[in-house]
Amino acid sequence: MRPRLKDVAELAGVSIKTVSNVVNDYPHVSDETRARVEAAIAELSYRPNLSARSLRAGRSGVVALAVPDLDNPYFAELATNVIEAADRRGWTVLIDQTQGDRAKERVVISGIRDHLIDGLLFSPLALTAKDLAGRDEGTPMVLLGERIGTGRSPYDHVGIDNVAAARAATLHLAERGRRRIAAIGVQRTAVAVTGRLRLKGYQQALAEAGVPADPSLVAPVARWGRADGAEAMSRLLDSGAPDAVFCFNDVLALGALRTLLKRGYEVPGDVMVMGFDDIEDGRFATPTLSTVAPDKALIAQSAVDLLAERLSGGTDKAHEVCVPHRLAFRESTDLPGKGHSRTLN
Amino acid sequence: MRPRLKDVAELAGVSIKTVSNVVNDYPHVSDETRARVEAAIAELSYRPNLSARSLRAGRSGVVALAVPDLDNPYFAELATNVIEAADRRGWTVLIDQTQGDRAKERVVISGIRDHLIDGLLFSPLALTAKDLAGRDEGTPMVLLGERIGTGRSPYDHVGIDNVAAARAATLHLAERGRRRIAAIGVQRTAVAVTGRLRLKGYQQALAEAGVPADPSLVAPVARWGRADGAEAMSRLLDSGAPDAVFCFNDVLALGALRTLLKRGYEVPGDVMVMGFDDIEDGRFATPTLSTVAPDKALIAQSAVDLLAERLSGGTDKAHEVCVPHRLAFRESTDLPGKGHSRTLN
DNA sequence: TACCTGTTTTACAACGATGTAACGAACTGA
DNA sequence: TCAGTTCGTTACATCGTTGTAAAACAGGTA
């Protein structure tokens, strides 16, 4: 069917290995032989069989990226960055969606596909430290997002300082004079680490700003989707009358924004809205969405670099990379009369 | 390093093939032997090597999905659906981003990775019929989105009736009394098939509704991103004074919406906005975005099914699947006083 | 006992590519 | 002329799995 080294070799009148040497650019091949082989390769339009190569080499050139859900623009943007960074190293990316489901996340780390992939970039949501500990260390794995568990993990990790970021975001709202600052995004599940860290930053900021913490202003959600944000905002408006809301990610914030506008509130006048992630949607919402902007390109690049280092057998101790973030102040937290809502990007 | 069939066989005291038989659930293995082998598998936590398997079987269980850009929510949602549909068949999906770049799209069909994947689902933007014709038919490919070229193509294809959809969308605007209906999304490049089809539908609708076509109301864009939509809308407002705008996809529409609101126009009062794709963002924009809603899940499912049929050596002639779409009327094209903006989903 | 039937298990050869080691040929220098 | 050194090329084994065909075994019949 498809041409193999053998077919090329026969056509060129050389041995299989010589063709292999040409394909792999080995030095000691005479110009004349090389030309003949290349002609044969072109004529048959030969392409190496990657399965055979990876069987032989023990490497496939494929890495897996496991994320909860590509529908969430944050993960879509992250995936884009990862694919680009992997591309620069000649790797191909295979994508798994876990839906943040613990069973699926376990499958991802179970190593079922370890022989197909050289490494794993994993952004877990529901996984526990125990799940992780049970993994037999086969293919290298780099964790994205939250650290799991409190102890030392044998895995490389890339994340941001969620507490500091959430604290800064909340402080920003307090500095603009808001006193009833709500939070949307805590989850009731035991494993929602990210949410807890952002809540912690939120609480720290309130204490620091001397704003009394009102538990009724903390709105739990089941998941981090637009509908959840919209629904949580609705509950907050019915009960707590906030004058600002810090949402633990941007899609929650866009959902909350939708509810506010639909119910006739002015944003930022009546209620300021702050998000987290800096997805593109937020930059084109009306009002544009203030947010915490993690350096997604750097997260992806760092993760790929860490994986590469581990693949080349480099380090033994686990690396911790904390990627910087910045705050993007846009219209949704703009003070009236300052008149620069349109100049901020 | 990792256990192989051989290791399991030695531990269980049977031959390699017997272990293989157990792993593959072959019938003629005695219960006692099976139990012993399974114990050994568990003890060593053996996992089959997929590279070897796919070398042997000529199948890898991996299919590639090539899309322009995961950042575009339409493709992210499509990818989600494809991954789910593939999952149901036990396939893994590997994702390529082409950026709509012709050179990258050529690489995708060049077959460089054909040995790694069993099939290809490809949503091309810039590819020409000539590029396609030059492909040596190795792994099966299903095209998503537009048909390429006019002649008969040897490839299966899944798409929607763009002309009809665009026509219906535009007619909807005309029926609501708008006469200066703009269009955003035509592209100057020779290969932008989708844009041309939607333009055709737009023009047909104008003719049908007896609305004179004003070329100054057709705004070209370089790409189909939010920023392009925003910028095109700005140009339209400066020159043409439209009272409605049909955008060839939702992110263009969201960009246009942003410009309208920023410049103080009322939507839908002053200008109605209609999109195409039905991405989730549009359902949470304010106003919510009317749009053409293709059945993305069915697109993904059909594509995967077609691929499966081809993989099982089924058909020889190319299939054409036209997936139905519906129109989602939301607030951005709502007539004032009708009072049902909130009941429409 | 010899023979057949059917089940269970095994040895062996692929799949396609590449590292190793060895080979012949063409040179060098004594 | 011959050993020693390159250089270019090759045969072979191997990566881990599975299809094929045959061997081993058990049970039943003549």
Side-chain angles (χ1 to χ4, degrees):
Chain A
M1 192 86 178
R2 303 222 102 202
R4 304 155 294 166
L5 280 184
K6 194 179 172 201
D7 304 313
V8 178
E10 274 165 14
L11 181 60
V14 295
S15 79
I16 292 180
K17 189 69 217 295
T18 299
V19 181
S20 167
N21 287 340
V22 170
V23 170
N24 292 288
D25 266 333
Y26 273 111
H28 301 307
V29 179
S30 70
D31 291 352
E32 190 249 325
T33 312
R34 180 181 304 273
R36 207 144 34 97
V37 171
E38 276 168 353
I41 288 178
E43 182 172 342
L44 299 176
S45 69
Y46 163 82
R47 306 269 173 238
N49 180 323
L50 296 193
S51 293
R53 248 195 199 163
S54 76
L55 171 60
R56 182 65 238 241
R59 286 277 173 89
S60 64
V62 175
V63 298
L65 170 68
V67 293
D69 191 357
L70 281 182
D71 278 358
N72 182 327
Y74 174 75
F75 290 114
E77 292 181 14
L78 185 65
T80 296
N81 284 305
V82 166
I83 290 174
E84 278 166 9
D87 210 49
R88 269 174 244 132
R89 288 204 127 85
W91 298 347
T92 306
V93 177
L94 177 158
I95 294 193
D96 270 316
Q97 286 190 115
T98 63
Q99 316 291 347
D101 179 61
R102 183 157 164 218
K104 286 199 183 172
E105 294 195 343
R106 270 165 154 164
V107 170
V108 165
I109 62 164
S110 74
I112 286 191
R113 269 213 316 262
D114 276 9
H115 278 294
L116 183 61
I117 60 176
D118 296 341
L120 173 61
L121 303 176
F122 187 21
S123 179
L125 279 190
L127 221 56
T128 66
K130 204 174 291 178
D131 292 330
L132 262 190
R135 173 180 148 101
D136 46 87
E137 291 181 52
T139 46
M141 171 166 79
V142 176
L143 293 171
L144 306 177
E146 245 34 70
R147 290 197 51 193
I148 291 179
T150 48
R152 198 155 300 284
S153 135
Y155 299 108
D156 293 335
H157 172 247
V158 181
I160 63 168
D161 187 341
N162 273 295
V163 178
R167 187 170 139 271
T170 310
L171 274 178
H172 168 67
L173 296 169
E175 279 162 9
R176 310 232 145 178
R178 302 300 157 120
R179 312 288 299 174
R180 296 196 47 77
I181 304 174
I184 294 180
V186 288
Q187 288 168 294
R188 296 257 181 259
T189 57
V191 287
V193 193
T194 306
R196 272 211 297 284
L197 292 175
R198 293 185 187 172
L199 179 67
K200 189 169 164 190
Y202 160 81
Q203 289 166 331
Q204 281 184 6
L206 293 187
E208 201 167 324
V211 175
D214 178 351
S216 77
L217 287 177
V218 174
V221 293
R223 323 195 111 244
W224 281 13
R226 287 180 178 81
D228 305 280
E231 189 257 334
M233 190 72 235
S234 220
R235 273 185 281 126
L236 282 173
L237 291 176
D238 291 341
S239 63
D243 56 13
V245 57
F246 170 45
C247 301
F248 290 180
N249 80 357
D250 275 359
V251 292
L252 285 171
L254 291 171
L257 183 60
R258 167 66 189 156
T259 295
L260 286 165
L261 298 178
K262 184 164 141 194
R263 292 178 58 162
Y265 289 84
E266 290 225 336
V267 178
D270 299 327
V271 181
M272 286 187 178
V273 179
M274 183 95 198
F276 202 118
D277 280 351
D278 191 29
I279 63 176
E280 200 193 7
D281 315 43
R283 293 200 280 272
F284 286 85
T286 303
T288 52
L289 185 66
S290 294
T291 192
V292 176
D295 190 336
K296 282 179 283 241
L298 188 54
I299 291 176
Q301 187 63 56
S302 307
V304 168
D305 288 349
L306 284 176
L307 200 53
E309 195 176 339
R310 223 154 256 285
L311 282 179
S312 62
T315 46
D316 40 351
K317 75 160 192 275
H319 288 231
E320 279 290 329
V321 174
C322 185
V323 168
H325 60 267
R326 59 184 194 85
L327 264 63
F329 303 127
R330 305 209 179 99
E331 293 165 6
S332 70
T333 62
D334 209 13
L335 277 185
K338 281 214 160 182
H340 62 317
S341 55
R342 282 173 205 177
T343 61
L344 286 173
N345 77 319
Chain B
M1 193 83 180
R2 306 218 102 203
R4 302 156 296 166
L5 281 184
K6 193 181 173 200
D7 304 314
V8 178
E10 274 165 16
L11 180 61
V14 296
S15 78
I16 292 181
K17 190 67 217 295
T18 299
V19 181
S20 168
N21 287 339
V22 170
V23 170
N24 292 289
D25 266 332
Y26 273 110
H28 301 307
V29 179
S30 71
D31 291 352
E32 190 249 326
T33 312
R34 182 181 302 274
R36 209 146 33 96
V37 170
E38 275 169 353
I41 287 179
E43 181 172 341
L44 299 176
S45 68
Y46 164 81
R47 306 269 174 239
N49 180 323
L50 296 195
S51 291
R53 238 187 209 172
S54 75
L55 171 60
R56 181 64 237 236
R59 287 278 175 89
S60 63
V62 176
V63 298
L65 170 69
V67 294
D69 191 356
L70 282 182
D71 278 358
N72 183 328
Y74 174 74
F75 290 114
E77 291 180 18
L78 184 66
T80 296
N81 284 306
V82 166
I83 290 174
E84 278 165 9
D87 211 48
R88 269 174 245 133
R89 287 205 127 86
W91 298 347
T92 307
V93 176
L94 176 157
I95 294 193
D96 270 317
Q97 287 190 112
T98 62
Q99 315 291 347
D101 179 62
R102 183 159 164 217
K104 285 197 183 173
E105 294 195 344
R106 270 166 155 164
V107 170
V108 164
I109 61 164
S110 74
I112 286 190
R113 270 212 315 261
D114 277 7
H115 278 293
L116 183 61
I117 60 176
D118 295 341
L120 173 61
L121 304 176
F122 186 21
S123 179
L125 279 190
L127 221 56
T128 66
K130 203 173 292 178
D131 293 329
L132 264 189
R135 172 181 150 101
D136 45 86
E137 290 180 53
T139 47
M141 170 167 79
V142 176
L143 293 171
L144 305 177
E146 244 34 71
R147 290 198 51 194
I148 291 179
T150 48
R152 197 155 302 284
S153 136
Y155 299 108
D156 293 335
H157 171 248
V158 181
I160 64 170
D161 186 340
N162 274 295
V163 178
R167 189 171 136 271
T170 310
L171 274 178
H172 169 67
L173 296 170
E175 279 161 9
R176 311 232 143 178
R178 303 298 158 123
R179 311 289 299 176
R180 297 196 47 77
I181 303 174
I184 294 181
V186 289
Q187 288 169 295
R188 296 258 180 258
T189 57
V191 286
V193 192
T194 306
R196 271 208 298 281
L197 292 175
R198 295 188 184 169
L199 178 67
K200 189 170 164 190
Y202 159 83
Q203 289 166 333
Q204 281 184 7
L206 292 187
E208 199 166 325
V211 175
D214 178 350
S216 77
L217 287 177
V218 174
V221 293
R223 321 194 113 245
W224 280 14
R226 288 180 177 82
D228 305 280
E231 189 256 334
M233 190 72 235
S234 217
R235 271 185 283 127
L236 283 173
L237 292 176
D238 291 341
S239 63
D243 57 13
V245 57
F246 170 44
C247 302
F248 290 0
N249 80 356
D250 275 359
V251 292
L252 285 170
L254 291 170
L257 183 60
R258 167 66 190 156
T259 295
L260 286 165
L261 298 178
K262 184 164 142 195
R263 290 179 58 163
Y265 288 83
E266 290 223 337
V267 178
D270 299 328
V271 181
M272 287 188 178
V273 179
M274 183 94 197
F276 201 118
D277 281 350
D278 191 28
I279 62 177
E280 202 194 5
D281 316 44
R283 293 199 281 272
F284 286 86
T286 304
T288 52
L289 185 65
S290 294
T291 192
V292 176
D295 190 336
K296 281 178 284 238
L298 188 55
I299 292 176
Q301 187 63 57
S302 308
V304 167
D305 288 349
L306 284 176
L307 200 51
E309 196 177 337
R310 224 154 254 287
L311 282 179
S312 61
T315 46
D316 40 352
K317 76 157 191 274
H319 288 232
E320 278 291 329
V321 174
C322 185
V323 168
H325 60 268
R326 58 182 195 84
L327 264 63
F329 302 128
R330 305 209 179 97
E331 295 166 5
S332 69
T333 61
D334 209 14
L335 278 184
K338 283 215 159 182
H340 62 319
S341 55
R342 279 170 208 180
T343 61
L344 288 173
N345 76 320

